[in-house]
Amino acid sequence: MGRRRGMMSRALKEELAKDLGFYDTVKDKGWGGITTRDAGNMVKRAIQIAEENLRKQGN
């Protein structure tokens, strides 16, 4: 099974990296330079945002 790519837009990933404080690492070393913890936190935050948006749509 191949890796799925492109689930989050580049702009969203960059915004999340800025909010979570590791965007400088992304600029310097690319996405491969971030820690597993940072990647996990980014995914967790993206899920939170998606859930908030779904709740807003439901009301």
Side-chain angles (χ1 to χ4, degrees):
M1 180 184 280
R3 291 178 64 178
R4 296 179 99 185
R5 294 196 180 259
M7 296 302 293
M8 280 193 270
S9 71
R10 180 176 166 211
L12 176 59
K13 288 193 294 189
E14 289 178 356
E15 179 182 335
L16 292 171
K18 289 174 186 174
D19 290 346
L20 295 171
F22 59 87
Y23 184 67
D24 288 338
T25 301
V26 173
K27 285 193 322 186
D28 294 341
K29 300 178 183 178
W31 289 105
I34 67 172
T35 65
T36 303
R37 176 172 283 171
D38 287 339
N41 287 337
M42 187 172 66
V43 171
K44 185 189 303 186
R45 183 64 185 128
I47 291 169
Q48 288 172 341
I49 291 169
E51 288 174 342
E52 290 169 8
N53 288 338
L54 286 173
R55 271 195 293 277
K56 288 177 185 175
Q57 288 177 1
N59 292 331

